[in-house]
Amino acid sequence: MTSEYEQRAESGQRRREGAQRAQRTHGRGWAASEAVEPEFAAAVRERFGAYRHHVLATLRKDGSPRLSGLEADFRYGELWLGMMIGSRKALDLRRDPRFALHANPGGGTDLAEGDVRLSGRAVEVTDPGLKARYAAAVKPPEPFHLYRAELTEVVRTSVEPPFMKVESWRPGRPLRTIRRTSEDPGLVEGEGEG
């Protein structure tokens, strides 16, 4: 029988190995989160998959935020952001690649599957072969802008009675889990839990 301590040590070792593998192969792309935190990444991806349209935040020329609808696509181990040619959001990202993406919360207010958002930098895809491969699979209206997401943070907020649970992952760091209640606003933190 394996003790709880041994199980945690094995889990920590698997996460460290996953992090090393992710850094070698994918750096900050979506596959890095899948390699290091597969259960967390699956929950995030499932949440994005529940609805087609999501909300993208970009920065306007004057630095103010712009919110736009967007279809996010997880494919080939990456998160892709496709946009109509000349769209304001595409031009925003060309000027300043920082973005935030919030998964569509859908109907109701219970957020049973959690509230999910991520942020990072959008890298414009200029390789004609890669764009053609993407277009063949997705069939977007052409011509189009295509960006690949380099993640800086992925956050999932959910309810785990009696706690509000916030899980956040950043490349090169373990999953961080914080639990709190309204009665006790102090944080109950657990590194690598989730």
Side-chain angles (χ1 to χ4, degrees):
M1 177 176 254
T2 307
S3 73
E4 182 179 337
Y5 174 80
E6 290 170 321
Q7 289 174 344
R8 284 185 180 209
E10 288 174 16
S11 176
Q13 180 63 31
R14 282 193 305 273
R15 284 192 172 115
R16 283 188 295 281
E17 289 169 357
Q20 291 168 349
R21 196 170 45 253
Q23 285 302 104
R24 284 192 309 269
T25 59
H26 303 288
R28 295 181 178 272
W30 178 251
S33 66
E34 290 179 325
V36 178
E37 297 294 342
E39 290 176 26
F40 175 69
V44 168
R45 189 171 176 169
E46 183 177 330
R47 189 69 189 86
F48 272 101
Y51 296 94
R52 185 173 179 175
H53 296 99
H54 307 287
V55 178
L56 176 73
T58 58
L59 295 170
R60 298 172 189 256
K61 191 182 290 189
D62 67 3
S64 63
R66 181 190 315 272
L67 297 178
S68 307
L70 179 87
E71 294 178 32
D73 186 44
F74 294 87
R75 187 176 304 274
Y76 316 127
E78 301 285 358
L79 170 58
W80 304 96
L81 311 173
M83 300 162 213
M84 200 165 59
I85 283 289
S87 67
R88 298 283 184 190
K89 59 190 165 195
L91 300 177
D92 287 348
L93 291 173
R94 203 174 253 177
R95 185 179 49 261
D96 185 333
R98 294 176 292 171
F99 75 92
L101 183 64
H102 189 258
N104 185 332
T109 58
D110 64 349
L111 290 175
E113 299 304 316
D115 181 58
V116 175
R117 59 196 180 279
L118 50 85
S119 57
R121 298 174 62 83
V123 178
E124 188 164 13
V125 175
T126 56
D127 179 282
L130 185 52
K131 280 185 81 171
R133 177 181 179 207
Y134 182 85
V138 178
K139 312 260 186 286
E142 293 196 46
F144 64 99
H145 293 286
L146 182 62
Y147 291 86
R148 180 181 51 78
E150 286 188 353
L151 303 175
T152 55
E153 183 176 44
V154 181
V155 178
R156 180 175 183 258
T157 304
S158 58
V159 176
E160 186 181 82
F163 298 105
M164 173 68 71
K165 179 180 174 184
V166 180
E167 299 166 282
S168 65
W169 175 81
R170 293 172 181 234
R173 297 184 186 169
L175 181 67
R176 181 177 183 206
T177 303
I178 297 173
R179 293 173 177 84
R180 63 176 290 206
T181 67
S182 295
E183 291 80 30
D184 179 17
L187 303 178
V188 179
E189 221 174 310
E191 287 288 334
E193 296 178 7

